[in-house]
Amino acid sequence: MKAQINLITIWTNNIDKMKCFYNQVLEFKIESDLGGYVEFVNDGVRFAICMREVMYDYSNEYEKKVVGQAFELAFPCESPNDVDESFAQLVAKGATPVHEPQNMPWNHRTALFADPDGNIHEIFAGLEK
């Protein structure tokens, strides 16, 4: 095995809401839509969402209730001002606001929002030193 991530898949029980969110709110173009599995166009790592039930035949682990924040996707912005503008636009389009833009100790301006399943994601930009 190579220590390299090739695909990130978000498991969901509501593919329609999630597909709409990632396509219309975050503006990922759909590369492949098989109903229970949707892959988006993304530079670098492949990115998809998939119904949990697709994997039920392979492992009952996918049937377990998910508890807590298991992962975060981080989306870069062009500038600190872009973080503020992007956050406002995402919330206006339907993203759930989690944390308003703020300058962080690690020299980034960061804001947090959630998708329809409650997964919290980040937008960020470096601060000038």
Side-chain angles (χ1 to χ4, degrees), residues 40-115:
F40 299 97
V41 174
N42 187 56
D43 290 337
V45 175
R46 292 168 43 225
F47 175 56
I49 55 176
C50 187
M51 288 290 292
R52 289 183 171 280
E53 67 187 22
V54 168
M55 297 303 286
Y56 287 177
D57 289 341
Y58 303 101
S59 173
N60 64 358
E61 291 295 309
Y62 290 94
E63 296 179 39
K64 290 183 178 177
K65 181 178 172 89
V66 177
V67 179
Q69 181 73 17
F71 70 97
E72 174 186 292
L73 301 177
F75 301 93
C77 292
E78 294 292 323
S79 67
N81 285 342
D82 188 27
V83 172
D84 294 41
E85 293 168 9
S86 295
F87 182 76
Q89 290 171 0
L90 290 170
V91 171
K93 289 179 169 181
T96 302
V98 173
H99 193 276
E100 298 281 329
Q102 178 180 353
N103 293 347
M104 305 305 283
W106 50 87
N107 209 34
H108 279 169
R109 183 150 183 86
T110 299
L112 303 174
F113 65 93
D115 69 19

